[in-house]
Amino acid sequence: TALGVDTGMLPKPFLIEKATGEKVIVTKDVFKLGRDPEQADYASNNKVVGRIHAELVTVDGEYFLIDKHSRNGSFLNGVKLSPNEKVKIKHEDIIKLANQEFVFKVF
């Protein structure tokens, strides 16, 4: 195998929803988290999560969380993000959309 060639065999990062244990696989480089099933790649049933609340973005094997001007905030390890702030995330980070918590996993 050649180095740096994505054969599709690399494990995809995922989120574990803390309350339910649901596994949410991040399937795209810009993965939208929100409540609107028409626009979000992961649609939450939580009424306080925004229609498009946040995005998980993959760039060169690194992962970022971006709050999309959500009313109730996005948090990384307890720290509130500013709207459109791009914050690097890593394995086992805690992501909170309003009051819904996830654990970010790379493997």
Side-chain angles (χ1 to χ4, degrees):
T1 58
L3 288 177
V5 175
D6 183 3
T7 58
M9 300 307 288
L10 293 172
K12 299 267 187 236
F14 59 95
L15 298 167
I16 300 290
E17 210 279 341
K18 280 183 112 177
T20 65
E22 178 184 6
K23 183 176 181 176
V24 180
I25 298 172
V26 178
T27 54
K28 299 157 81 173
D29 286 345
V30 177
F31 191 82
K32 295 177 180 169
L33 303 165
R35 198 180 69 241
D36 184 347
E38 300 283 315
Q39 298 180 67
D41 298 303
Y42 168 75
S44 172
N45 294 324
N46 188 333
K47 296 292 181 230
V48 296
V49 170
R51 287 190 295 271
I52 295 296
H53 196 101
E55 291 175 347
L56 279 174
V57 180
T58 306
V59 180
D60 295 329
E62 294 186 320
Y63 306 102
F64 301 89
L65 179 67
I66 302 171
D67 177 83
K68 300 310 285 181
H69 296 273
S70 64
R71 180 172 291 152
N72 294 313
S74 300
F75 301 82
L76 178 63
N77 299 322
V79 178
K80 187 173 184 177
L81 276 63
S82 299
N84 264 346
E85 181 183 5
K86 184 177 177 183
V87 179
K88 189 172 178 179
I89 56 176
K90 62 189 183 319
H91 184 66
E92 306 248 302
D93 275 350
I94 304 299
I95 294 170
K96 195 164 141 189
L97 307 179
N99 62 3
Q100 188 171 12
E101 279 195 321
F102 300 86
V103 180
F104 179 73
K105 303 265 191 177
V106 180
F107 49 84

